[in-house]
Amino acid sequence: MTVVVRLYRETSEMLPEPEALFKTPTANLGSNGAAQHPDKRKAGGHGPTLADEVCFLLHVQPEDQAPAGPHSPPQWWGKFAAAVRRWEVLTRKAAPVPVMRGPRGGIKLSPRFCEWLMGLPEGWVTEVPDVPVNEQLSRIGNGVVPAQAYAAFKLLLQSDEQWNRNCRLSTHHPDRADDALPAAA
């Protein structure tokens, strides 16, 4: 279970457990070259990328359009359907078409899908003027999932508050000085 899902535990417990999760967008998506079938990538001794999974394992074409509404068509997503549905519910945004046509007519990963996958506002990266598609993918892959950053800061602040409380307690009870130190992980 990811930090993001833990943030929304009440909501996520009502949703089906995902069979599979997508790979995280990475900065090298903009410079990796064309996607390969995940089996071919594994045979070469490497793990599949997000682009590999999206371009070869999904049942969607760049010309497909998501119907109006809160969810994208579940038939697009194959084994990732439950994960996509969960993220659509948590973000309150339907997933965009995950692929687009490349300059030579092939199918490639859509930066809009990566933007949605990272939980960024629509257009946060993809509507910045004069940024080519590969650069958009790199920027998104270099980014942070805002909900995970929020969870991390929240946990740090809670730990800091607990530590400060323990320090105040130890001031009033000198025999409890060891209790003021956080436990080792």
Side-chain angles (χ1 to χ4, degrees):
M1 186 182 301
T2 67
V3 173
V4 174
V5 171
R6 277 189 226 119
L7 275 177
Y8 303 99
R9 186 175 298 269
E10 300 79 33
T11 308
S12 66
E13 286 178 355
M14 296 181 277
L15 298 170
E17 190 65 31
E19 179 184 334
L21 300 173
F22 283 113
K23 302 286 184 189
T24 302
T26 58
N28 61 354
L29 284 173
S31 59
N32 259 3
Q36 297 180 33
H37 193 282
D39 292 340
K40 182 177 179 184
R41 183 91 58 191
K42 287 177 192 173
H46 303 283
T49 66
L50 174 63
D52 297 338
E53 293 177 339
V54 168
C55 294
F56 286 93
L57 301 181
L58 302 184
H59 312 290
V60 62
Q61 294 296 313
E63 296 75 27
D64 291 341
Q65 297 204 4
H71 303 292
S72 57
Q75 63 271 19
W76 284 1
W77 306 109
K79 68 180 184 178
F80 302 101
V84 170
R85 175 57 57 98
R86 179 184 295 250
W87 195 234
E88 286 176 332
V89 169
L90 296 176
T91 61
R92 298 186 179 118
K93 292 189 286 186
V97 175
V99 292
M100 60 184 285
R101 290 275 170 218
R104 289 179 264 158
I107 293 177
K108 66 184 289 175
L109 179 64
S110 166
R112 288 196 181 280
F113 176 68
C114 292
E115 191 174 61
W116 172 84
L117 200 58
M118 295 289 279
L120 300 171
E122 192 173 334
W124 187 257
V125 175
T126 57
E127 292 179 12
V128 174
D130 302 322
V131 179
V133 169
N134 286 344
E135 181 64 23
Q136 291 174 6
L137 289 168
S138 291
R139 289 181 183 188
I140 293 166
N142 266 332
V144 174
V145 176
Q148 285 181 319
Y150 171 80
F153 280 112
K154 187 175 177 182
L155 290 171
L156 285 171
L157 290 173
Q158 288 171 349
S159 297
D160 189 48
E161 289 170 11
Q162 181 65 39
W163 191 82
N164 287 333
R165 267 195 303 276
N166 288 341
C167 285
R168 282 194 298 277
L169 284 175
S170 68
T171 315
H172 299 296
H173 304 286
D175 56 326
R176 294 190 190 172
D178 290 340
D179 294 344
L181 298 175

Short mmCIF file of all heavy atoms in Angstrom, two decimals, residues 86-147:
data_model
loop_
_atom_site.label_atom_id
_atom_site.label_comp_id
_atom_site.label_asym_id
_atom_site.label_seq_id
_atom_site.Cartn_x
_atom_site.Cartn_y
_atom_site.Cartn_z
N ARG A 86 -9.22 3.42 -8.64
CA ARG A 86 -8.89 3.94 -7.30
C ARG A 86 -8.34 5.36 -7.40
O ARG A 86 -8.75 6.26 -6.68
CB ARG A 86 -7.88 3.02 -6.62
CG ARG A 86 -7.47 3.48 -5.23
CD ARG A 86 -6.40 2.55 -4.68
NE ARG A 86 -6.94 1.23 -4.48
CZ ARG A 86 -7.15 0.70 -3.29
NH1 ARG A 86 -6.85 1.37 -2.20
NH2 ARG A 86 -7.65 -0.51 -3.17
N TRP A 87 -7.40 5.58 -8.32
CA TRP A 87 -6.78 6.91 -8.45
C TRP A 87 -7.80 7.91 -8.98
O TRP A 87 -7.79 9.07 -8.59
CB TRP A 87 -5.54 6.81 -9.33
CG TRP A 87 -4.63 8.00 -9.25
CD1 TRP A 87 -4.18 8.74 -10.30
CD2 TRP A 87 -4.04 8.58 -8.08
NE1 TRP A 87 -3.35 9.75 -9.85
CE2 TRP A 87 -3.24 9.67 -8.49
CE3 TRP A 87 -4.10 8.28 -6.72
CZ2 TRP A 87 -2.53 10.46 -7.60
CZ3 TRP A 87 -3.38 9.08 -5.83
CH2 TRP A 87 -2.61 10.15 -6.27
N GLU A 88 -8.70 7.49 -9.87
CA GLU A 88 -9.76 8.39 -10.35
C GLU A 88 -10.65 8.83 -9.19
O GLU A 88 -11.02 10.01 -9.11
CB GLU A 88 -10.61 7.70 -11.42
CG GLU A 88 -9.91 7.55 -12.76
CD GLU A 88 -10.71 6.77 -13.79
OE1 GLU A 88 -11.53 5.90 -13.40
OE2 GLU A 88 -10.53 7.04 -14.99
N VAL A 89 -10.98 7.91 -8.31
CA VAL A 89 -11.83 8.25 -7.16
C VAL A 89 -11.07 9.19 -6.22
O VAL A 89 -11.61 10.20 -5.75
CB VAL A 89 -12.29 6.97 -6.43
CG1 VAL A 89 -12.93 7.30 -5.08
CG2 VAL A 89 -13.27 6.19 -7.30
N LEU A 90 -9.82 8.86 -5.93
CA LEU A 90 -9.05 9.66 -4.98
C LEU A 90 -8.75 11.06 -5.51
O LEU A 90 -8.75 12.03 -4.74
CB LEU A 90 -7.74 8.95 -4.63
CG LEU A 90 -7.91 7.62 -3.89
CD1 LEU A 90 -6.57 6.95 -3.68
CD2 LEU A 90 -8.62 7.80 -2.57
N THR A 91 -8.47 11.18 -6.80
CA THR A 91 -8.14 12.50 -7.38
C THR A 91 -9.37 13.24 -7.90
O THR A 91 -9.28 14.41 -8.24
CB THR A 91 -7.14 12.36 -8.54
OG1 THR A 91 -7.71 11.56 -9.57
CG2 THR A 91 -5.83 11.76 -8.05
N ARG A 92 -10.49 12.51 -8.00
CA ARG A 92 -11.74 13.07 -8.55
C ARG A 92 -11.57 13.55 -9.99
O ARG A 92 -12.19 14.51 -10.42
CB ARG A 92 -12.25 14.21 -7.66
CG ARG A 92 -12.59 13.77 -6.28
CD ARG A 92 -13.22 14.87 -5.46
NE ARG A 92 -13.55 14.37 -4.16
CZ ARG A 92 -13.03 14.83 -3.04
NH1 ARG A 92 -12.17 15.81 -3.06
NH2 ARG A 92 -13.39 14.32 -1.89
N LYS A 93 -10.70 12.85 -10.74
CA LYS A 93 -10.48 13.17 -12.15
C LYS A 93 -10.37 11.88 -12.94
O LYS A 93 -9.64 10.96 -12.55
CB LYS A 93 -9.17 13.95 -12.34
CG LYS A 93 -9.18 15.35 -11.75
CD LYS A 93 -7.97 16.13 -12.16
CE LYS A 93 -6.75 15.66 -11.41
NZ LYS A 93 -5.55 16.46 -11.65
N ALA A 94 -11.08 11.80 -14.05
CA ALA A 94 -10.98 10.64 -14.93
C ALA A 94 -9.60 10.60 -15.58
O ALA A 94 -9.02 11.65 -15.87
CB ALA A 94 -12.06 10.69 -16.00
N ALA A 95 -9.09 9.41 -15.79
CA ALA A 95 -7.80 9.26 -16.46
C ALA A 95 -7.93 9.69 -17.92
O ALA A 95 -8.89 9.34 -18.59
CB ALA A 95 -7.34 7.81 -16.38
N PRO A 96 -6.95 10.42 -18.42
CA PRO A 96 -6.96 10.77 -19.84
C PRO A 96 -6.49 9.59 -20.69
O PRO A 96 -5.98 8.60 -20.16
CB PRO A 96 -5.95 11.92 -19.92
CG PRO A 96 -5.01 11.66 -18.79
CD PRO A 96 -5.82 11.01 -17.71
N VAL A 97 -6.68 9.68 -21.98
CA VAL A 97 -6.17 8.66 -22.89
C VAL A 97 -4.65 8.58 -22.64
O VAL A 97 -3.96 9.60 -22.70
CB VAL A 97 -6.47 9.02 -24.36
CG1 VAL A 97 -5.82 8.03 -25.30
CG2 VAL A 97 -7.96 9.09 -24.59
N PRO A 98 -4.12 7.39 -22.33
CA PRO A 98 -2.72 7.28 -21.91
C PRO A 98 -1.68 7.27 -23.03
O PRO A 98 -0.49 7.28 -22.76
CB PRO A 98 -2.70 5.96 -21.15
CG PRO A 98 -3.77 5.16 -21.80
CD PRO A 98 -4.83 6.13 -22.19
N VAL A 99 -2.14 7.23 -24.28
CA VAL A 99 -1.20 7.16 -25.40
C VAL A 99 -1.50 8.26 -26.41
O VAL A 99 -2.59 8.85 -26.42
CB VAL A 99 -1.26 5.78 -26.11
CG1 VAL A 99 -0.71 4.69 -25.21
CG2 VAL A 99 -2.67 5.44 -26.55
N MET A 100 -0.51 8.52 -27.24
CA MET A 100 -0.65 9.51 -28.31
C MET A 100 0.14 9.02 -29.52
O MET A 100 0.90 8.06 -29.41
CB MET A 100 -0.13 10.88 -27.84
CG MET A 100 1.34 10.85 -27.44
SD MET A 100 1.98 12.39 -26.77
CE MET A 100 2.12 13.36 -28.24
N ARG A 101 -0.07 9.64 -30.64
CA ARG A 101 0.70 9.31 -31.85
C ARG A 101 2.02 10.06 -31.79
O ARG A 101 2.09 11.24 -31.50
CB ARG A 101 -0.05 9.72 -33.11
CG ARG A 101 -1.26 8.89 -33.39
CD ARG A 101 -0.91 7.63 -34.15
NE ARG A 101 -2.10 6.77 -34.17
CZ ARG A 101 -2.05 5.47 -34.07
NH1 ARG A 101 -0.90 4.85 -33.98
NH2 ARG A 101 -3.16 4.76 -34.07
N GLY A 102 3.08 9.33 -32.10
CA GLY A 102 4.40 9.94 -32.19
C GLY A 102 4.57 10.62 -33.54
O GLY A 102 3.69 10.54 -34.41
N PRO A 103 5.70 11.26 -33.78
CA PRO A 103 5.92 11.99 -35.02
C PRO A 103 5.91 11.11 -36.27
O PRO A 103 5.62 11.58 -37.36
CB PRO A 103 7.29 12.65 -34.83
CG PRO A 103 7.91 12.00 -33.66
CD PRO A 103 6.82 11.37 -32.86
N ARG A 104 6.20 9.81 -36.11
CA ARG A 104 6.19 8.90 -37.27
C ARG A 104 4.96 8.00 -37.27
O ARG A 104 4.91 7.01 -37.99
CB ARG A 104 7.46 8.07 -37.27
CG ARG A 104 8.67 8.93 -37.65
CD ARG A 104 9.95 8.14 -37.65
NE ARG A 104 10.56 8.38 -36.33
CZ ARG A 104 11.44 7.60 -35.76
NH1 ARG A 104 11.84 6.51 -36.34
NH2 ARG A 104 11.93 7.90 -34.59
N GLY A 105 3.96 8.33 -36.43
CA GLY A 105 2.71 7.59 -36.45
C GLY A 105 2.59 6.44 -35.46
O GLY A 105 1.54 5.85 -35.33
N GLY A 106 3.67 6.14 -34.74
CA GLY A 106 3.62 5.07 -33.74
C GLY A 106 2.92 5.53 -32.47
O GLY A 106 2.59 6.71 -32.30
N ILE A 107 2.68 4.59 -31.57
CA ILE A 107 2.03 4.91 -30.30
C ILE A 107 3.11 5.17 -29.26
O ILE A 107 4.09 4.44 -29.16
CB ILE A 107 1.13 3.73 -29.85
CG1 ILE A 107 -0.04 3.60 -30.82
CG2 ILE A 107 0.63 3.93 -28.44
CD1 ILE A 107 -0.95 2.43 -30.52
N LYS A 108 2.92 6.23 -28.50
CA LYS A 108 3.85 6.55 -27.42
C LYS A 108 3.09 7.02 -26.20
O LYS A 108 1.91 7.37 -26.27
CB LYS A 108 4.90 7.55 -27.87
CG LYS A 108 4.39 8.93 -28.22
CD LYS A 108 5.49 9.83 -28.75
CE LYS A 108 6.43 10.21 -27.66
NZ LYS A 108 7.58 10.98 -28.06
N LEU A 109 3.75 7.03 -25.08
CA LEU A 109 3.19 7.45 -23.81
C LEU A 109 2.79 8.92 -23.86
O LEU A 109 3.56 9.76 -24.33
CB LEU A 109 4.23 7.22 -22.70
CG LEU A 109 3.86 7.60 -21.29
CD1 LEU A 109 2.69 6.77 -20.78
CD2 LEU A 109 5.09 7.43 -20.38
N SER A 110 1.62 9.24 -23.36
CA SER A 110 1.13 10.61 -23.34
C SER A 110 1.58 11.34 -22.06
O SER A 110 1.36 10.84 -20.96
CB SER A 110 -0.40 10.61 -23.39
OG SER A 110 -0.91 11.89 -23.06
N PRO A 111 2.17 12.52 -22.20
CA PRO A 111 2.53 13.30 -21.01
C PRO A 111 1.30 13.66 -20.16
O PRO A 111 1.40 13.75 -18.94
CB PRO A 111 3.19 14.55 -21.58
CG PRO A 111 3.62 14.18 -22.95
CD PRO A 111 2.64 13.16 -23.43
N ARG A 112 0.14 13.84 -20.79
CA ARG A 112 -1.07 14.15 -20.02
C ARG A 112 -1.41 13.01 -19.05
O ARG A 112 -1.85 13.25 -17.94
CB ARG A 112 -2.25 14.42 -20.94
CG ARG A 112 -2.12 15.74 -21.67
CD ARG A 112 -3.44 16.18 -22.27
NE ARG A 112 -3.29 17.42 -22.97
CZ ARG A 112 -3.26 18.63 -22.41
NH1 ARG A 112 -3.37 18.74 -21.11
NH2 ARG A 112 -3.10 19.71 -23.13
N PHE A 113 -1.21 11.77 -19.51
CA PHE A 113 -1.46 10.63 -18.64
C PHE A 113 -0.45 10.63 -17.47
O PHE A 113 -0.82 10.41 -16.32
CB PHE A 113 -1.38 9.32 -19.42
CG PHE A 113 -1.54 8.10 -18.55
CD1 PHE A 113 -2.76 7.82 -17.96
CD2 PHE A 113 -0.47 7.26 -18.31
CE1 PHE A 113 -2.92 6.70 -17.14
CE2 PHE A 113 -0.62 6.14 -17.51
CZ PHE A 113 -1.85 5.86 -16.91
N CYS A 114 0.81 10.88 -17.75
CA CYS A 114 1.83 10.93 -16.69
C CYS A 114 1.51 12.04 -15.69
O CYS A 114 1.66 11.85 -14.48
CB CYS A 114 3.21 11.15 -17.29
SG CYS A 114 3.80 9.76 -18.25
N GLU A 115 1.08 13.17 -16.19
CA GLU A 115 0.69 14.29 -15.33
C GLU A 115 -0.45 13.86 -14.40
O GLU A 115 -0.40 14.12 -13.19
CB GLU A 115 0.25 15.44 -16.25
CG GLU A 115 0.05 16.77 -15.63
CD GLU A 115 -0.22 17.81 -16.71
OE1 GLU A 115 -1.23 17.67 -17.45
OE2 GLU A 115 0.57 18.76 -16.82
N TRP A 116 -1.45 13.17 -14.95
CA TRP A 116 -2.57 12.68 -14.15
C TRP A 116 -2.09 11.63 -13.15
O TRP A 116 -2.47 11.65 -11.98
CB TRP A 116 -3.64 12.07 -15.08
CG TRP A 116 -4.73 11.38 -14.34
CD1 TRP A 116 -5.84 11.97 -13.80
CD2 TRP A 116 -4.84 9.99 -14.05
NE1 TRP A 116 -6.63 11.01 -13.18
CE2 TRP A 116 -6.02 9.79 -13.33
CE3 TRP A 116 -4.04 8.89 -14.33
CZ2 TRP A 116 -6.43 8.53 -12.88
CZ3 TRP A 116 -4.43 7.64 -13.89
CH2 TRP A 116 -5.63 7.48 -13.17
N LEU A 117 -1.22 10.72 -13.59
CA LEU A 117 -0.72 9.64 -12.75
C LEU A 117 0.03 10.21 -11.53
O LEU A 117 -0.03 9.64 -10.44
CB LEU A 117 0.21 8.75 -13.57
CG LEU A 117 0.50 7.35 -13.11
CD1 LEU A 117 -0.77 6.53 -12.95
CD2 LEU A 117 1.43 6.66 -14.09
N MET A 118 0.72 11.30 -11.71
CA MET A 118 1.47 11.92 -10.62
C MET A 118 0.57 12.78 -9.72
O MET A 118 1.03 13.30 -8.71
CB MET A 118 2.61 12.78 -11.19
CG MET A 118 3.66 11.99 -11.93
SD MET A 118 4.68 10.99 -10.86
CE MET A 118 5.83 12.22 -10.27
N GLY A 119 -0.68 12.96 -10.10
CA GLY A 119 -1.60 13.75 -9.29
C GLY A 119 -1.42 15.25 -9.46
O GLY A 119 -1.82 16.03 -8.60
N LEU A 120 -0.84 15.65 -10.57
CA LEU A 120 -0.63 17.07 -10.84
C LEU A 120 -1.88 17.69 -11.43
O LEU A 120 -2.66 17.00 -12.10
CB LEU A 120 0.53 17.25 -11.82
CG LEU A 120 1.89 16.72 -11.35
CD1 LEU A 120 2.89 16.75 -12.49
CD2 LEU A 120 2.39 17.53 -10.17
N PRO A 121 -2.08 18.98 -11.23
CA PRO A 121 -3.22 19.64 -11.88
C PRO A 121 -3.10 19.53 -13.41
O PRO A 121 -1.99 19.58 -13.95
CB PRO A 121 -3.09 21.10 -11.44
CG PRO A 121 -2.22 21.09 -10.24
CD PRO A 121 -1.31 19.90 -10.39
N GLU A 122 -4.22 19.40 -14.06
CA GLU A 122 -4.23 19.28 -15.52
C GLU A 122 -3.55 20.50 -16.15
O GLU A 122 -3.87 21.63 -15.81
CB GLU A 122 -5.67 19.18 -16.01
CG GLU A 122 -5.80 18.78 -17.45
CD GLU A 122 -7.24 18.52 -17.85
OE1 GLU A 122 -8.05 18.16 -16.98
OE2 GLU A 122 -7.54 18.70 -19.04
N GLY A 123 -2.59 20.25 -17.03
CA GLY A 123 -1.88 21.32 -17.71
C GLY A 123 -0.69 21.87 -16.94
O GLY A 123 0.02 22.74 -17.43
N TRP A 124 -0.42 21.37 -15.76
CA TRP A 124 0.67 21.87 -14.91
C TRP A 124 2.00 21.84 -15.67
O TRP A 124 2.79 22.76 -15.58
CB TRP A 124 0.75 21.02 -13.65
CG TRP A 124 1.71 21.51 -12.62
CD1 TRP A 124 2.94 21.01 -12.35
CD2 TRP A 124 1.50 22.58 -11.70
NE1 TRP A 124 3.52 21.68 -11.32
CE2 TRP A 124 2.66 22.67 -10.89
CE3 TRP A 124 0.46 23.47 -11.48
CZ2 TRP A 124 2.80 23.62 -9.89
CZ3 TRP A 124 0.61 24.41 -10.47
CH2 TRP A 124 1.75 24.48 -9.69
N VAL A 125 2.21 20.80 -16.43
CA VAL A 125 3.43 20.67 -17.25
C VAL A 125 3.07 20.69 -18.74
O VAL A 125 3.76 21.31 -19.53
CB VAL A 125 4.18 19.36 -16.91
CG1 VAL A 125 5.37 19.15 -17.84
CG2 VAL A 125 4.62 19.34 -15.46
N THR A 126 1.97 20.04 -19.10
CA THR A 126 1.65 19.84 -20.51
C THR A 126 1.16 21.09 -21.22
O THR A 126 1.11 21.10 -22.44
CB THR A 126 0.59 18.73 -20.67
OG1 THR A 126 -0.57 19.07 -19.92
CG2 THR A 126 1.15 17.40 -20.20
N GLU A 127 0.79 22.11 -20.49
CA GLU A 127 0.34 23.34 -21.14
C GLU A 127 1.35 24.48 -21.01
O GLU A 127 1.02 25.63 -21.31
CB GLU A 127 -1.02 23.75 -20.59
CG GLU A 127 -2.11 22.77 -21.00
CD GLU A 127 -3.49 23.09 -20.45
OE1 GLU A 127 -3.69 24.21 -19.93
OE2 GLU A 127 -4.37 22.22 -20.54
N VAL A 128 2.56 24.17 -20.59
CA VAL A 128 3.61 25.18 -20.55
C VAL A 128 4.06 25.42 -21.99
O VAL A 128 4.38 24.46 -22.70
CB VAL A 128 4.81 24.71 -19.68
CG1 VAL A 128 5.96 25.70 -19.76
CG2 VAL A 128 4.36 24.49 -18.24
N PRO A 129 4.05 26.66 -22.45
CA PRO A 129 4.39 26.93 -23.85
C PRO A 129 5.82 26.49 -24.21
O PRO A 129 6.73 26.59 -23.40
CB PRO A 129 4.26 28.46 -23.97
CG PRO A 129 3.55 28.91 -22.76
CD PRO A 129 3.72 27.87 -21.71
N ASP A 130 5.96 26.03 -25.43
CA ASP A 130 7.26 25.71 -26.04
C ASP A 130 8.05 24.61 -25.32
O ASP A 130 9.28 24.61 -25.37
CB ASP A 130 8.13 26.98 -26.15
CG ASP A 130 7.45 28.06 -26.96
OD1 ASP A 130 6.79 27.72 -27.96
OD2 ASP A 130 7.55 29.25 -26.59
N VAL A 131 7.35 23.69 -24.67
CA VAL A 131 8.04 22.55 -24.05
C VAL A 131 7.67 21.31 -24.85
O VAL A 131 6.51 20.89 -24.86
CB VAL A 131 7.65 22.38 -22.56
CG1 VAL A 131 8.36 21.17 -21.96
CG2 VAL A 131 7.96 23.64 -21.78
N PRO A 132 8.65 20.71 -25.56
CA PRO A 132 8.35 19.53 -26.38
C PRO A 132 7.93 18.33 -25.53
O PRO A 132 8.20 18.26 -24.34
CB PRO A 132 9.67 19.24 -27.11
CG PRO A 132 10.66 20.24 -26.64
CD PRO A 132 10.03 21.13 -25.64
N VAL A 133 7.27 17.39 -26.17
CA VAL A 133 6.71 16.22 -25.49
C VAL A 133 7.76 15.47 -24.67
O VAL A 133 7.52 15.13 -23.50
CB VAL A 133 6.05 15.27 -26.52
CG1 VAL A 133 5.70 13.93 -25.90
CG2 VAL A 133 4.81 15.92 -27.11
N ASN A 134 8.93 15.20 -25.24
CA ASN A 134 9.96 14.46 -24.50
C ASN A 134 10.43 15.23 -23.27
O ASN A 134 10.70 14.64 -22.22
CB ASN A 134 11.15 14.10 -25.39
CG ASN A 134 10.80 12.97 -26.35
OD1 ASN A 134 9.81 12.27 -26.17
ND2 ASN A 134 11.61 12.81 -27.38
N GLU A 135 10.51 16.52 -23.38
CA GLU A 135 10.90 17.36 -22.23
C GLU A 135 9.79 17.35 -21.17
O GLU A 135 10.06 17.33 -19.98
CB GLU A 135 11.19 18.79 -22.68
CG GLU A 135 11.63 19.71 -21.57
CD GLU A 135 12.96 19.33 -20.91
OE1 GLU A 135 13.77 18.64 -21.55
OE2 GLU A 135 13.16 19.72 -19.76
N GLN A 136 8.53 17.34 -21.60
CA GLN A 136 7.41 17.24 -20.65
C GLN A 136 7.53 15.94 -19.85
O GLN A 136 7.39 15.95 -18.62
CB GLN A 136 6.07 17.28 -21.38
CG GLN A 136 5.73 18.61 -21.98
CD GLN A 136 4.46 18.56 -22.82
OE1 GLN A 136 3.76 17.55 -22.88
NE2 GLN A 136 4.17 19.66 -23.49
N LEU A 137 7.78 14.83 -20.55
CA LEU A 137 7.93 13.54 -19.86
C LEU A 137 9.08 13.58 -18.87
O LEU A 137 8.96 13.08 -17.74
CB LEU A 137 8.13 12.41 -20.88
CG LEU A 137 6.91 12.05 -21.71
CD1 LEU A 137 7.29 11.12 -22.87
CD2 LEU A 137 5.83 11.40 -20.85
N SER A 138 10.20 14.17 -19.24
CA SER A 138 11.35 14.28 -18.34
C SER A 138 11.00 15.12 -17.11
O SER A 138 11.34 14.75 -15.99
CB SER A 138 12.55 14.89 -19.05
OG SER A 138 13.04 14.00 -20.02
N ARG A 139 10.35 16.24 -17.33
CA ARG A 139 9.99 17.12 -16.20
C ARG A 139 9.02 16.43 -15.26
O ARG A 139 9.15 16.53 -14.04
CB ARG A 139 9.40 18.42 -16.72
CG ARG A 139 10.44 19.30 -17.36
CD ARG A 139 9.86 20.61 -17.84
NE ARG A 139 10.87 21.39 -18.53
CZ ARG A 139 10.70 22.63 -18.93
NH1 ARG A 139 9.53 23.24 -18.73
NH2 ARG A 139 11.67 23.27 -19.54
N ILE A 140 8.03 15.73 -15.81
CA ILE A 140 7.07 15.03 -14.97
C ILE A 140 7.79 13.92 -14.19
O ILE A 140 7.56 13.75 -12.99
CB ILE A 140 5.90 14.47 -15.81
CG1 ILE A 140 5.08 15.64 -16.36
CG2 ILE A 140 5.04 13.53 -14.98
CD1 ILE A 140 4.11 15.26 -17.47
N GLY A 141 8.68 13.20 -14.85
CA GLY A 141 9.43 12.14 -14.18
C GLY A 141 10.37 12.65 -13.11
O GLY A 141 10.69 11.94 -12.16
N ASN A 142 10.82 13.88 -13.23
CA ASN A 142 11.69 14.49 -12.21
C ASN A 142 10.88 15.05 -11.05
O ASN A 142 11.45 15.49 -10.06
CB ASN A 142 12.52 15.63 -12.82
CG ASN A 142 13.87 15.16 -13.28
OD1 ASN A 142 14.42 14.22 -12.74
ND2 ASN A 142 14.40 15.82 -14.29
N GLY A 143 9.56 15.06 -11.20
CA GLY A 143 8.71 15.69 -10.20
C GLY A 143 8.40 14.79 -9.02
O GLY A 143 8.87 13.67 -8.88
N VAL A 144 7.58 15.33 -8.15
CA VAL A 144 7.15 14.67 -6.93
C VAL A 144 5.63 14.55 -6.96
O VAL A 144 4.94 15.45 -7.44
CB VAL A 144 7.56 15.52 -5.71
CG1 VAL A 144 7.02 14.96 -4.42
CG2 VAL A 144 9.07 15.66 -5.65
N VAL A 145 5.11 13.44 -6.45
CA VAL A 145 3.67 13.30 -6.30
C VAL A 145 3.26 14.20 -5.14
O VAL A 145 3.70 13.97 -4.00
CB VAL A 145 3.27 11.83 -6.02
CG1 VAL A 145 1.78 11.70 -5.77
CG2 VAL A 145 3.70 10.95 -7.18
N PRO A 146 2.49 15.27 -5.39
CA PRO A 146 2.16 16.20 -4.31
C PRO A 146 1.54 15.53 -3.08
O PRO A 146 1.87 15.90 -1.95
CB PRO A 146 1.17 17.18 -4.96
CG PRO A 146 1.53 17.14 -6.41
CD PRO A 146 1.94 15.72 -6.68
N ALA A 147 0.68 14.54 -3.28
CA ALA A 147 0.06 13.88 -2.13
C ALA A 147 1.10 13.14 -1.29
O ALA A 147 0.99 13.07 -0.06
CB ALA A 147 -1.04 12.92 -2.60
#
